[in-house]
Amino acid sequence: MSRVPGRARLNSPFFAGATRPTPPAKHSQAHPGVSPLHPVSHRNTSFQPLPRPLGLVPYHYDIADHFPEIQQECTKAGRIIFHVVGDSGGVQDGEFQNNVAALMIRDLANPADERPHFCYHAGDLVYFTGARDDYYAQFYEPYAHYDIPIFSIPGNHDGEVDDPSTGASLNGWVNYFMQAQPDVDPISKDCPRVQMNLPNVYWTLITPFATIIGMYTNVPEGGSIDSVQQQWVTHEFATAPQDRALILALHHPIYSFDAYHSGSSKMADVLENAIRDTGRVPNLVLSGHVHDYQRIEQKISDDGPTPFIVCGNGGYHNLHSVHSNVGDVAPDTGAVLRYAADKKWGFLTLTVDKDKIAGQTTEVDRHDQVVAGDSFSYPTAPVVLPNPKSVPTL
């Protein structure tokens, strides 16, 4: 019997020249059900143990306690304004990160009632393994004149550890964001920034107009959380105030129409379980990981679509292309792509009041051309399903 040379090798993930699998076009999640591990794309990306929490359960960080001046400004203005950026680390070419950071800093010169109050980072501050020594070039220096707080959830690169002898997972992130006695780290050199005292790697930010539940989805592709964090997420959904917007933030996106990572069915399960157990649906879901910007809608409630934002174009040099067109409906999940920017870097500005969440992106291309990109508005009224068990598969 004749055989085709090399055919057996081509059926093996270890044949010479093998690469990570390509996500299916037009789909919003790479794998149905539980994502299979691929020995090429998942090497050195196993689940990493979490550092010890700094605070106590339920890991709340109330802005009124830590930044009372922001609380007062928001209450007086009747709204809160903040930047959202993700995947900002300029590891190979800092130009793109610096361009985005400069535009964020420019916003700080806005009139007082239009000035952002803080930045919420969706993870991957430092590539490729979140080393403390890389924080000067990729964090301290680019935001040297960004004089408002930067909050964060970690991304997979923040948690990766190639060489265990260099320290435990998330050492660099913890060194800045989880310090009991915040101080100026000498590694910041000529760009000093006082450290933060966040209570945990997953935590909830309490503000006058929004509750932001921030998960840590660890290192494996598609994300991974343990049962303890799942219980915490469900608890936060159940106890979140209904007089303000509920926002969920996680690094690995639930939906994505990109041609590199795609969305995560595992993270969809996390959200679906929290909704089924509590009936509460977030008003907005923020994520990063994919190096572009996308706004995706999914119908979970009859009250209207739930927006899922991928905000991962904050400065990493290599952007991820989108394989679908605006208006396309994913055949695997029914998610709808409403906006995409895969050739420009940028950030999102969110304005939240008692009635709505309004968003506006600022985009800059490689020729330094700046444009206003996506704009949207969604209601902040609490979304509670009368029959939580009827939530569709996400």
Side-chain angles (χ1 to χ4, degrees):
M1 179 182 296
S2 62
R3 298 179 60 187
V4 178
R7 179 66 65 185
R9 290 188 298 109
L10 291 176
N11 290 331
S12 165
F14 283 113
F15 74 86
T19 62
R20 59 183 301 139
T22 302
K26 305 296 183 183
H27 286 57
S28 64
Q29 290 177 352
H31 309 286
V34 177
S35 303
L37 292 179
H38 188 280
V40 173
S41 62
H42 290 78
R43 303 182 80 168
N44 300 322
T45 57
S46 59
F47 185 92
Q48 297 296 313
L50 306 186
R52 183 185 299 274
L54 180 62
L56 301 175
V57 177
Y59 310 127
H60 285 183
Y61 193 90
D62 195 327
I63 209 161
D65 295 334
H66 299 276
F67 296 95
E69 67 280 5
I70 294 180
Q71 177 83 8
Q72 294 168 7
E73 291 172 3
C74 294
T75 302
K76 181 179 179 181
R79 61 182 179 178
I80 191 166
I81 304 172
F82 60 98
H83 287 152
V84 180
V85 67
D87 301 83
S88 59
V91 59
Q92 179 169 310
D93 188 339
E95 176 185 0
F96 309 116
Q97 179 182 14
N98 289 335
N99 287 345
V100 173
L103 293 172
M104 294 169 64
I105 293 168
R106 185 186 69 176
D107 278 1
L108 303 185
N110 289 348
D113 61 345
E114 298 178 10
R115 191 177 189 264
H117 298 106
F118 60 84
C119 172
Y120 195 98
H121 199 293
D124 280 1
L125 290 88
V126 170
Y127 289 82
F128 279 95
T129 55
R132 176 173 174 262
D133 289 345
D134 293 328
Y135 265 73
Y136 174 78
Q138 298 184 51
F139 179 71
Y140 287 112
E141 196 277 335
Y143 306 110
H145 299 292
Y146 191 75
D147 62 358
I148 57 177
I150 298 176
F151 301 120
S152 173
I153 50 172
N156 59 298
H157 286 288
D158 299 316
E160 280 190 29
V161 179
D162 277 345
D163 181 2
S165 67
T166 62
S169 175
L170 289 176
N171 268 4
W173 191 92
V174 168
N175 187 76
Y176 177 76
F177 288 101
M178 285 176 55
Q179 292 301 305
Q181 302 295 329
D183 202 345
V184 175
D185 190 336
I187 205 169
S188 64
K189 303 176 184 177
D190 59 340
C191 303
R193 175 181 286 272
V194 177
Q195 298 158 320
M196 301 292 290
N197 57 344
L198 301 183
N200 197 7
V201 295
Y202 55 87
W203 59 286
T204 297
L205 179 62
I206 307 297
T207 80
F209 296 97
T211 300
I212 306 176
I213 300 171
M215 295 170 52
Y216 172 47
T217 53
N218 217 287
V219 173
E221 182 61 24
S224 181
I225 69 169
D226 57 22
S227 60
V228 175
Q229 189 174 172
Q230 176 70 73
Q231 292 171 4
W232 173 83
V233 171
T234 299
H235 173 270
E236 294 301 277
F237 271 53
T239 58
Q242 296 195 13
D243 63 348
R244 66 199 71 177
L246 176 61
I247 298 174
L248 175 67
L250 70 168
H251 182 67
H252 291 86
I254 291 174
Y255 305 113
S256 176
F257 288 81
D258 77 286
Y260 188 77
H261 283 301
S262 193
S264 170
S265 58
K266 292 185 288 187
M267 294 302 100
D269 288 343
V270 175
L271 176 57
E272 186 178 324
N273 287 335
I275 295 174
R276 287 183 184 275
D277 288 342
T278 67
R280 188 75 186 269
V281 179
N283 298 97
L284 181 74
V285 179
L286 297 171
S287 62
H289 191 53
V290 175
H291 300 156
D292 57 32
Y293 173 87
Q294 301 171 66
R295 177 165 56 90
I296 300 162
E297 291 182 346
Q298 175 67 286
K299 183 176 174 56
I300 302 176
S301 165
D302 292 337
D303 293 343
T306 300
F308 290 75
I309 307 291
V310 177
C311 200
N313 58 342
Y316 185 80
H317 63 279
N318 186 30
L319 296 176
H320 294 155
S321 62
V322 171
H323 56 50
S324 300
N325 299 315
V326 171
D328 281 353
V329 180
D332 53 343
T333 63
V336 183
L337 180 64
R338 294 302 185 191
Y339 185 93
D342 59 358
K343 293 179 174 59
K344 297 177 182 177
W345 293 263
F347 62 93
L348 170 66
T349 302
L350 288 179
T351 302
V352 187
D353 59 27
K354 64 181 182 61
D355 298 316
K356 65 182 183 301
I357 302 175
Q360 176 68 62
T361 64
T362 302
E363 300 172 357
V364 56
D365 64 17
R366 62 179 62 251
H367 304 294
D368 298 338
Q369 297 299 307
V370 180
V371 299
D374 187 28
S375 61
F376 57 81
S377 179
Y378 295 94
T380 59
V383 181
V384 182
L385 299 180
N387 180 12
K389 303 305 180 185
S390 66
V391 64
T393 299
L394 303 179

